[in-house]
Short mmCIF file of all heavy atoms in Angstrom, two decimals:
data_model
loop_
_atom_site.label_atom_id
_atom_site.label_comp_id
_atom_site.label_asym_id
_atom_site.label_seq_id
_atom_site.Cartn_x
_atom_site.Cartn_y
_atom_site.Cartn_z
N HIS A 1 -87.47 214.96 -114.04
CA HIS A 1 -88.43 214.29 -114.82
C HIS A 1 -88.25 214.53 -116.27
O HIS A 1 -88.28 213.62 -117.16
CB HIS A 1 -89.86 214.65 -114.39
CG HIS A 1 -90.34 213.94 -113.17
ND1 HIS A 1 -90.79 212.66 -113.18
CD2 HIS A 1 -90.48 214.38 -111.87
CE1 HIS A 1 -91.16 212.30 -111.99
NE2 HIS A 1 -90.99 213.29 -111.20
N ILE A 2 -88.00 215.77 -116.66
CA ILE A 2 -87.84 216.10 -118.08
C ILE A 2 -86.56 215.54 -118.60
O ILE A 2 -86.48 215.03 -119.73
CB ILE A 2 -87.94 217.68 -118.25
CG1 ILE A 2 -89.31 218.17 -117.90
CG2 ILE A 2 -87.57 218.05 -119.73
CD1 ILE A 2 -89.43 219.69 -117.83
N ALA A 3 -85.49 215.62 -117.85
CA ALA A 3 -84.19 215.11 -118.29
C ALA A 3 -84.33 213.58 -118.54
O ALA A 3 -83.80 213.06 -119.54
CB ALA A 3 -83.12 215.32 -117.23
N ARG A 4 -85.04 212.90 -117.65
CA ARG A 4 -85.28 211.48 -117.87
C ARG A 4 -86.10 211.21 -119.14
O ARG A 4 -85.78 210.32 -119.92
CB ARG A 4 -86.07 210.87 -116.64
CG ARG A 4 -86.05 209.39 -116.60
CD ARG A 4 -86.78 208.87 -115.36
NE ARG A 4 -86.13 209.45 -114.17
CZ ARG A 4 -86.77 210.03 -113.18
NH1 ARG A 4 -88.08 210.28 -113.27
NH2 ARG A 4 -86.11 210.43 -112.14
N ALA A 5 -87.10 212.07 -119.38
CA ALA A 5 -87.91 211.88 -120.59
C ALA A 5 -87.11 212.20 -121.89
O ALA A 5 -87.26 211.48 -122.90
CB ALA A 5 -89.15 212.82 -120.52
N VAL A 6 -86.31 213.19 -121.83
CA VAL A 6 -85.41 213.55 -123.00
C VAL A 6 -84.47 212.38 -123.25
O VAL A 6 -84.23 212.00 -124.41
CB VAL A 6 -84.69 214.86 -122.77
CG1 VAL A 6 -83.63 215.10 -123.87
CG2 VAL A 6 -85.67 216.05 -122.70
N GLY A 7 -83.86 211.93 -122.18
CA GLY A 7 -82.93 210.80 -122.35
C GLY A 7 -83.53 209.58 -122.95
O GLY A 7 -82.99 208.98 -123.88
N ALA A 8 -84.76 209.28 -122.52
CA ALA A 8 -85.45 208.09 -123.02
C ALA A 8 -85.82 208.30 -124.51
O ALA A 8 -85.75 207.41 -125.32
CB ALA A 8 -86.73 207.84 -122.23
N SER A 9 -86.21 209.58 -124.85
CA SER A 9 -86.62 209.91 -126.21
C SER A 9 -85.41 209.79 -127.18
O SER A 9 -85.43 209.14 -128.20
CB SER A 9 -87.26 211.26 -126.23
OG SER A 9 -87.69 211.59 -127.52
N VAL A 10 -84.37 210.53 -126.81
CA VAL A 10 -83.19 210.58 -127.72
C VAL A 10 -82.45 209.24 -127.70
O VAL A 10 -81.96 208.85 -128.78
CB VAL A 10 -82.27 211.79 -127.33
CG1 VAL A 10 -81.08 211.86 -128.30
CG2 VAL A 10 -83.03 213.06 -127.31
N GLY A 11 -82.40 208.66 -126.55
CA GLY A 11 -81.67 207.39 -126.43
C GLY A 11 -82.27 206.24 -127.23
O GLY A 11 -81.65 205.25 -127.50
N SER A 12 -83.58 206.37 -127.58
CA SER A 12 -84.23 205.36 -128.31
C SER A 12 -84.03 205.49 -129.85
O SER A 12 -84.44 204.60 -130.60
CB SER A 12 -85.76 205.35 -128.03
OG SER A 12 -86.37 206.58 -128.54
N ASP A 13 -83.43 206.59 -130.29
CA ASP A 13 -83.22 206.74 -131.74
C ASP A 13 -82.29 205.65 -132.26
O ASP A 13 -81.19 205.45 -131.69
CB ASP A 13 -82.63 208.11 -132.03
CG ASP A 13 -83.62 209.22 -131.77
OD1 ASP A 13 -84.80 208.97 -131.63
OD2 ASP A 13 -83.17 210.41 -131.75
N PRO A 14 -82.67 204.94 -133.32
CA PRO A 14 -81.82 203.92 -133.87
C PRO A 14 -80.63 204.53 -134.64
O PRO A 14 -80.66 205.73 -134.98
CB PRO A 14 -82.75 203.14 -134.75
CG PRO A 14 -83.77 204.13 -135.18
CD PRO A 14 -83.97 205.06 -134.00
N LEU A 15 -79.68 203.73 -134.90
CA LEU A 15 -78.48 204.18 -135.67
C LEU A 15 -78.81 204.03 -137.12
O LEU A 15 -79.28 203.02 -137.57
CB LEU A 15 -77.27 203.35 -135.31
CG LEU A 15 -75.93 203.67 -136.00
CD1 LEU A 15 -75.48 205.08 -135.61
CD2 LEU A 15 -74.86 202.61 -135.67
N GLY A 16 -78.52 205.08 -137.89
CA GLY A 16 -78.75 205.04 -139.34
C GLY A 16 -79.85 205.89 -139.79
O GLY A 16 -80.95 205.92 -139.20
N TRP A 17 -79.61 206.68 -140.86
CA TRP A 17 -80.59 207.60 -141.43
C TRP A 17 -81.90 206.84 -141.84
O TRP A 17 -82.98 207.21 -141.42
CB TRP A 17 -80.02 208.31 -142.63
CG TRP A 17 -80.94 208.91 -143.60
CD1 TRP A 17 -81.51 208.28 -144.69
CD2 TRP A 17 -81.40 210.24 -143.69
NE1 TRP A 17 -82.27 209.16 -145.40
CE2 TRP A 17 -82.26 210.34 -144.82
CE3 TRP A 17 -81.17 211.39 -142.85
CZ2 TRP A 17 -82.81 211.55 -145.18
CZ3 TRP A 17 -81.81 212.54 -143.24
CH2 TRP A 17 -82.66 212.65 -144.33
N SER A 18 -81.77 205.78 -142.62
CA SER A 18 -82.91 205.08 -143.10
C SER A 18 -83.73 204.40 -142.01
O SER A 18 -84.96 204.46 -141.98
CB SER A 18 -82.53 204.04 -144.15
OG SER A 18 -81.61 203.11 -143.59
N ARG A 19 -83.01 203.85 -141.03
CA ARG A 19 -83.68 203.20 -139.95
C ARG A 19 -84.40 204.21 -139.05
O ARG A 19 -85.57 203.96 -138.59
CB ARG A 19 -82.74 202.34 -139.13
CG ARG A 19 -83.39 201.53 -138.03
CD ARG A 19 -82.42 200.56 -137.40
NE ARG A 19 -83.08 199.86 -136.32
CZ ARG A 19 -83.81 198.78 -136.48
NH1 ARG A 19 -84.10 198.36 -137.70
NH2 ARG A 19 -84.39 198.19 -135.41
N THR A 20 -83.80 205.35 -138.84
CA THR A 20 -84.43 206.42 -138.00
C THR A 20 -85.71 206.90 -138.69
O THR A 20 -86.74 207.05 -138.05
CB THR A 20 -83.51 207.57 -137.81
OG1 THR A 20 -82.34 207.16 -137.11
CG2 THR A 20 -84.15 208.72 -137.01
N ILE A 21 -85.67 207.13 -140.01
CA ILE A 21 -86.83 207.62 -140.70
C ILE A 21 -87.95 206.59 -140.74
O ILE A 21 -89.08 206.90 -140.49
CB ILE A 21 -86.43 208.00 -142.17
CG1 ILE A 21 -85.65 209.33 -142.15
CG2 ILE A 21 -87.66 208.17 -143.04
CD1 ILE A 21 -85.24 209.79 -143.50
N ARG A 22 -87.59 205.32 -140.96
CA ARG A 22 -88.64 204.31 -141.10
C ARG A 22 -89.21 203.86 -139.78
O ARG A 22 -90.37 203.51 -139.62
CB ARG A 22 -88.11 203.11 -141.86
CG ARG A 22 -87.88 203.36 -143.34
CD ARG A 22 -87.75 202.01 -144.08
NE ARG A 22 -87.61 202.25 -145.53
CZ ARG A 22 -86.48 202.09 -146.24
NH1 ARG A 22 -85.35 201.75 -145.60
NH2 ARG A 22 -86.43 202.28 -147.53
N HIS A 23 -88.34 203.90 -138.73
CA HIS A 23 -88.81 203.33 -137.44
C HIS A 23 -89.16 204.43 -136.44
O HIS A 23 -90.08 204.22 -135.56
CB HIS A 23 -87.70 202.42 -136.87
CG HIS A 23 -87.53 201.16 -137.62
ND1 HIS A 23 -88.10 199.97 -137.16
CD2 HIS A 23 -86.96 200.85 -138.79
CE1 HIS A 23 -87.77 198.99 -138.06
NE2 HIS A 23 -87.11 199.53 -139.01
N GLN A 24 -88.42 205.53 -136.45
CA GLN A 24 -88.59 206.53 -135.37
C GLN A 24 -89.68 207.59 -135.76
O GLN A 24 -90.52 207.92 -134.91
CB GLN A 24 -87.31 207.24 -135.06
CG GLN A 24 -87.29 208.10 -133.80
CD GLN A 24 -87.56 207.22 -132.56
OE1 GLN A 24 -87.09 206.05 -132.52
NE2 GLN A 24 -88.23 207.82 -131.61
N PHE A 25 -89.62 208.06 -136.98
CA PHE A 25 -90.62 209.13 -137.32
C PHE A 25 -92.07 208.63 -137.15
O PHE A 25 -92.89 209.42 -136.67
CB PHE A 25 -90.39 209.50 -138.78
CG PHE A 25 -89.44 210.65 -138.98
CD1 PHE A 25 -88.14 210.60 -138.38
CD2 PHE A 25 -89.75 211.77 -139.67
CE1 PHE A 25 -87.27 211.63 -138.52
CE2 PHE A 25 -88.87 212.83 -139.82
CZ PHE A 25 -87.57 212.77 -139.21
N PRO A 26 -92.44 207.42 -137.53
CA PRO A 26 -93.88 207.01 -137.34
C PRO A 26 -94.35 206.93 -135.91
O PRO A 26 -95.53 207.06 -135.66
CB PRO A 26 -93.92 205.66 -137.98
CG PRO A 26 -92.70 205.57 -138.86
CD PRO A 26 -91.65 206.34 -138.16
N ARG A 27 -93.42 206.75 -134.98
CA ARG A 27 -93.85 206.64 -133.55
C ARG A 27 -93.52 207.87 -132.72
O ARG A 27 -93.76 207.86 -131.48
CB ARG A 27 -93.20 205.41 -132.96
CG ARG A 27 -91.67 205.46 -132.81
CD ARG A 27 -91.11 204.10 -132.39
NE ARG A 27 -89.70 204.17 -132.07
CZ ARG A 27 -88.91 203.10 -132.01
NH1 ARG A 27 -89.41 201.91 -132.22
NH2 ARG A 27 -87.59 203.25 -131.71
N ASP A 28 -93.11 208.92 -133.37
CA ASP A 28 -92.71 210.12 -132.68
C ASP A 28 -93.99 210.97 -132.35
O ASP A 28 -94.66 211.44 -133.25
CB ASP A 28 -91.76 210.96 -133.51
CG ASP A 28 -91.01 212.04 -132.77
OD1 ASP A 28 -91.55 212.49 -131.75
OD2 ASP A 28 -89.90 212.37 -133.17
N ARG A 29 -94.26 211.22 -131.05
CA ARG A 29 -95.43 211.96 -130.65
C ARG A 29 -95.30 213.40 -131.17
O ARG A 29 -96.37 214.07 -131.48
CB ARG A 29 -95.59 212.02 -129.17
CG ARG A 29 -96.23 210.76 -128.58
CD ARG A 29 -96.46 210.97 -127.06
NE ARG A 29 -97.43 211.96 -126.82
CZ ARG A 29 -97.16 213.09 -126.11
NH1 ARG A 29 -95.96 213.35 -125.66
NH2 ARG A 29 -98.11 214.00 -125.88
#
C-alpha cells in the first residue's frame, strides 16, 4: 500500500522546476 502511494505521489511530479513549484507545491499534503 505504501509503495503504491509513494509511486503515485512521486510519479505525479511534473517535469521542470517552475512547473513543479507552481503546480505541485500547492497541492502537496
